[in-house]
Amino acid sequence: MIQVRAMLFIVLICQCFWVSAEPIYLQLRWHHQFQFAGYYAALEKGYYKDAGLDVIIHEGTPEKKPVQEVLQGHAQYGEANSELLLERLRGAPLVALAAIYQHSPSVLIARKDAGISSPDGLVGKKIMLLNQTVDADFVAMFNNEGIDINRLHIIPSSYEIRDLIDGKADAFNSYLSNEPYFLKQQGIEFTVLNPRNYGVDFYSDILFTTEDELKQHPERVKAFRQASLEGWYYAMDHPQEIIDLLLNKYKVNKSRDHLNFEADAIRSLIIPDVIDLGHMNPWRWRHMAETFIKAGMVENDKFLQNFSYDPDPKADKEKLLKYIRIAVTITLLTGISTLTLLASYRALKRKNKKASRNEKLLRLAHETAGIGYYAIDLATGLWKSSPLLDQIFGIDANFDRVIPNWATLIHPEHRQRVLDHYQDVIRNHERFSMEYVITHPNDDETRWVIAHGYIEYDKADNPVQLVGTIQDITERKQAEETITCLNEKLKKKVHRQTNELTASNLSLMRKIEELRRSKHQLMEREAKLNSIFNASVEGIITIDMFNIIISANAAVDPIFGYKPEELIGCSINKLMQSSPRETICCSLLHAAQPVSQIQEIDGIHKNGSLVSLDLSTAEYSIDNEHYFTHIVRDVSSRKQREQKDKKHLNELAHVTRLGLMGEMASGIAHEVNQPLSAISSYTQVSLNLINIEPPDLARLTEILDKTQQQALRAGRIIHRMREFVKSHAQKRSVADVNNLIHECAGLCVGELKQNNIKLTFELKNNLPPVHVDQIQIEQVIINLIRNSVDALKNLPEKQQRQLTISSRLTLNNDIQVKVKDNGAGIDEDQKQKILTPFYTTKADGMGMGLSITRSLVEAHEGTLNFNSKAGKGTTFYFTLPTEKI
């Protein structure tokens, strides 16, 4: 230990000459506390300053995560838990400099009365965690125990242990050095779930930086790491001094008793008396990475290489080889030398004459095997030792060799166990062999030793002397640790490969099952399609590229009069005058896509008659062979209905012309009156000219010619009116207004669809009948619908176009019909003129539509009115008296 610190000191002195004094920022994981004692010591004792570093320490908060702060450039160095490795495996350019804690303090704490004694007990319970990245230890623990994390009720940590006490959480993410103190102070019994007990033993509080910092400032990285470790050595040796510093300078919100509790807990996790501070085992990093992979948190460990910083990689390789060589040598020599030692010692007692020679041989054997020996006089409590044993224990000739001082050489963690074992040996009269750790009294360096020996008894069976050997096995222990790591790695690899093979087999079995299900589904789908094919009311005919029918469904019988089997193998021209393919654009003939246009064609019935058909065609390919499927529908009844509707519309048009002529008659009366007035005037002038003596024949001829022209003009006007309208008498009958509305809407459905207008009915049921000329009232409704269509089709395409027709019974026992649209509306000027003859807002309108509509309504003792608001739409409504029964 002295040599290590001396080397650190020398390196730090040297680095003062080349390390820049620019500010260096260190980001901690949490608020100031003993958890970060080494960094405060390095700062306060000047280790950073001696290394030429101006270090500023930033405490952590829930918002300031060290990994993110360092990656974002807010700090050059940070201190993190196992999330550091997790982010590295995900590709973050992070480098671990030193693992301060050899074991993680992260645990889950549950109240004793919650009955949670293992991770299985957490299923369905409320668990406070930071997140699955920061609390990677727990995620790995859940995976090792086969617990689906989705079955856990994980809630974000409040960082307040009070939430566990008050029952807001069943388990709380905690540090062994912190939360247990609060619970013990309040007398609350609790259970600790430590990931170490479930195969997850991770490093913690890892000093780290980025690849860029290491590349740009390698000497600064080395100096910062060494100064930080020196601070940690000091903090471990002087915990009370650091506690004073935290209370007085950093003003931590913890009591001295709490800080002492924290210091003790942290020391057991760092193990500074056994393991060099900052020690990182590459096999342990790999084990942590494999744990993350197994838990599904990362895919592989390809980014693990160069993650662990090594200030002297060459020395480590040579040290590892040395450990292996020593382990092999010690393994061979230990058994031989021990047997030789014991045999020689017994021979020494039996053969006093050869004592001198045997002692030399024994000492030589011990020194060759690296074994020191001792003898303790149990009566006096004094003991003697060989020089090699003194060297192993790190003592000199001045060391006071009494039994109490022997006990002080044993490490505190092993002392009681060793002393108890000696008592058992004395009590049971047996030889002993045990391994334990010793501590050098001068520099606190720790070493592993193996002890062999036995107790000598007097004739009264009283123990008088303890004789034994001590061998330094530190390097063997280190080699064993290395071998154990390698074996564990091999075991994990075999286990992983076994799991992968098992998973592969399961995946194959699942695929086979999926294929079986797919085959079954395909058969079901085929059966359904065949059922639909044969049940369809539309004829479905499939032909090949040569127009030969290869399949047909049962619906072709009522359409064409042929059974499906009669058509197989025949040409499609048997059913249609020409192949439908000839009417399809050539560019689609070889495109494997549906032809969605519906054609109207004439089919040929078996009896020779023509059948009106709607035809749609789809093309597809199977094994590079093209096929066409024709779907035909008999629309003969629809054609007949269209002819009937056309006749109905012609009748409505006639009513319109009749109404128009009625209005035009009053509107153009002045045109007819003008020639008649002119004829009357010209006749009077002619009579006057005849009575003049002598008559002015030339003037008379001129006047008569003008009279003739005016008479012809009046005749032409009357002739045009007679041609426009024929005489039809008004025929009134009892009708249902709602039926008339539906009839009119059906006649206009084409215009509504063409202009993307949504039609809504709001018709009251059980309305009384009306006595009307149905053709005229239908014309009124159609005129109002078409006016709304004209208003709506000018709206933007993206705006919803709505037309609503409603009917109701008024308080006057009249029936009111409303036609409402959401068009642009009518402005104030147009409202005054909209119902007057010859006024129109359309570019090609005559201005007679609404005027005729009003006349038709008024002819039925009703009224026509409207409401409109610019930009909000227009509502026209009229009333009709009900039939008196």
Side-chain angles (χ1 to χ4, degrees), residues 77-291:
Y77 300 90
E79 191 248 28
N81 277 359
S82 56
E83 73 267 16
L84 179 72
L85 174 61
L86 187 60
E87 294 299 332
R88 170 71 182 202
L89 295 177
R90 291 174 177 173
L94 301 168
V95 179
L97 300 179
I100 305 302
Y101 291 15
Q102 296 299 307
H103 303 295
S104 174
S106 294
V107 295
L108 284 176
I109 291 182
R111 289 174 58 112
K112 194 78 171 180
D113 53 16
I116 301 173
S117 58
S118 67
D120 289 338
L122 295 172
V123 174
K125 300 297 179 65
K126 294 179 290 185
I127 309 169
M128 279 196 172
L129 296 180
L130 297 179
N131 58 57
Q132 294 188 26
T133 297
V134 177
D135 283 333
D137 309 45
F138 303 134
V139 177
M141 176 180 71
F142 298 145
N143 181 73
N144 283 357
E145 292 299 295
I147 298 173
D148 185 355
I149 198 168
N150 294 319
R151 298 174 61 199
L152 305 177
H153 183 193
I154 297 176
I155 56 180
S157 178
S158 63
Y159 302 91
E160 293 292 341
I161 191 64
R162 172 57 61 182
D163 287 341
L164 177 67
I165 298 173
D166 294 341
K168 295 180 180 179
D170 298 306
F172 190 85
N173 60 307
S174 309
Y175 255 36
L176 282 172
S177 58
N178 195 33
E179 282 74 13
Y181 177 83
F182 291 108
L183 298 176
K184 289 179 180 179
Q185 290 294 308
Q186 298 191 35
I188 297 174
E189 295 184 347
F190 58 91
T191 301
V192 175
L193 299 182
N194 194 329
R196 288 173 59 187
N197 298 330
Y198 302 94
V200 181
D201 189 7
F202 287 174
Y203 288 132
S204 180
D205 288 69
I206 305 155
L207 182 64
F208 72 95
T209 187
T210 61
E211 289 181 346
D212 184 65
E213 173 72 7
L214 182 58
K215 181 179 179 181
Q216 300 296 329
H217 308 285
E219 298 302 330
R220 182 165 76 184
V221 172
K222 189 173 185 179
F224 184 85
R225 176 182 181 274
Q226 291 168 340
S228 298
L229 292 178
E230 189 69 13
W232 273 106
Y233 277 119
Y234 188 89
M236 291 294 97
D237 291 340
H238 306 86
Q240 293 305 317
E241 183 178 339
I242 302 303
I243 290 175
D244 290 337
L245 180 67
L246 289 169
L247 291 172
N248 298 325
K249 179 175 180 179
Y250 289 93
K251 306 299 183 182
V252 298
N253 188 24
K254 289 184 178 181
S255 66
R256 179 176 294 275
D257 186 51
H258 189 177
L259 291 173
N260 278 318
F261 175 87
E262 185 180 10
D264 292 340
I266 287 172
R267 188 177 188 88
S268 66
L269 298 170
I270 296 177
I271 323 175
D273 301 320
V274 179
I275 298 177
D276 289 340
L277 273 164
H279 172 71
M280 295 186 293
N281 189 311
W283 287 279
R284 194 168 175 193
W285 281 127
R286 187 166 298 280
H287 170 70
M288 292 172 62
E290 291 173 350
T291 302

Side-chain angles (χ1 to χ4, degrees), residues 374 376 378 393 403-427 430-439 447-453 455 466 468-470:
Y374 62 94
I376 300 177
L378 298 178
F393 276 128
I403 289 179
N405 286 346
W406 173 279
T408 62
L409 297 175
I410 303 173
H411 191 278
E413 292 185 1
H414 296 247
R415 185 176 300 151
Q416 192 60 47
R417 175 176 62 83
V418 173
L419 295 177
D420 290 344
H421 188 62
Y422 279 132
Q423 293 296 325
D424 291 340
V425 168
I426 295 172
R427 184 168 54 254
E430 60 184 16
R431 294 181 180 274
F432 63 86
S433 178
M434 54 185 164
E435 297 177 357
Y436 54 88
V437 177
I438 63 171
T439 303
R447 307 291 292 178
W448 273 94
V449 298
I450 184 170
H452 298 282
I455 306 294
L466 186 151
T469 62
I470 295 291

